[in-house]
Amino acid sequence: WQADSGQLLMDFDVAPVAGSVAFLERAAPASPARADAAAWFERGVALEATDPALAEAAYRQALVQAPDLVDAYLNLGALWSEAGRFAELAALSEEAVTHCADSPLVHFNRAVALDQLERLPEAAASYETSLALDPTLADAHFNLGRLREQLGDKRGALRHFSAYRRLQR
């Protein structure tokens, strides 16, 4: 702009600009069901230490509202694992895999349940899937190493125990 005789003048010529423009999409607002699921999930988290049964009910309700809520599967699975409810955990994990197939921890939980149920080849496959999704899961390497050892695969066991040790450094 220039000041001439007390007037302000603006230059509206367009100059070339180097660079690029990126268009950002607005995130869609959370659906009411999603918001309800989040509230149920938070209720479950708050209840875990004092009332695991109510926490379980809250996580189940969260999953009714949002069947792809991976954290609800994981927290409910942890409750059941701690309680030794591995058959239920295996069934829950099967459901979780259908809705959250890209979660390495869902596959890990499934593997733990199957391992405890002595369904070793299936457990090994689930550990492998979890590691394909996240090769840095040290516990999956350790558990798979132990499982490979049980199945007589010494080379496979050594490979996973070595990966486990590398990740622990």
Side-chain angles (χ1 to χ4, degrees):
W1 56 273
Q2 296 176 324
D4 278 340
S5 64
Q7 291 182 327
L8 294 177
L9 301 175
M10 301 187 85
D11 182 6
F12 288 104
D13 287 340
V14 177
V17 177
S20 62
V21 174
F23 294 95
L24 303 176
E25 292 183 34
R26 288 192 153 197
S31 69
R34 197 76 177 166
D36 287 348
W40 280 110
F41 175 77
E42 292 303 324
R43 175 181 276 169
V45 170
L47 289 168
E48 271 192 36
T50 57
D51 195 335
L54 283 178
E56 177 181 332
Y59 290 138
R60 286 179 182 256
Q61 188 58 42
L63 290 170
V64 167
Q65 300 295 320
D68 63 341
L69 187 59
V70 70
D71 290 337
Y73 286 112
L74 296 176
N75 285 23
L76 182 55
L79 281 176
W80 287 355
S81 181
E82 290 172 13
R85 296 166 60 182
F86 295 109
E88 289 168 283
L89 176 56
L92 177 72
S93 297
E94 293 297 331
E95 180 184 335
V97 164
T98 65
H99 296 287
C100 311
D102 60 343
S103 169
L105 294 177
V106 163
H107 292 279
F108 178 83
N109 280 1
R110 180 177 183 267
V112 168
L114 295 170
D115 194 353
Q116 291 296 318
L117 296 172
E118 297 185 13
R119 294 167 53 186
L120 302 185
E122 292 172 89
S126 284
Y127 283 127
E128 292 285 359
T129 302
S130 71
L131 289 169
L133 293 167
D134 183 356
T136 66
L137 286 176
D139 288 341
H141 280 291
F142 180 83
N143 290 358
L144 185 54
R146 184 188 44 74
L147 198 121
R148 289 282 179 222
E149 196 171 58
Q150 282 181 285
L151 294 171
D153 179 6
K154 293 183 195 283
R155 175 179 274 159
L158 181 60
R159 182 169 54 99
H160 288 289
F161 285 140
S162 294
Y164 171 77
R165 280 191 297 278
R166 272 194 313 276
L167 291 167
Q168 292 302 305
R169 291 184 191 153

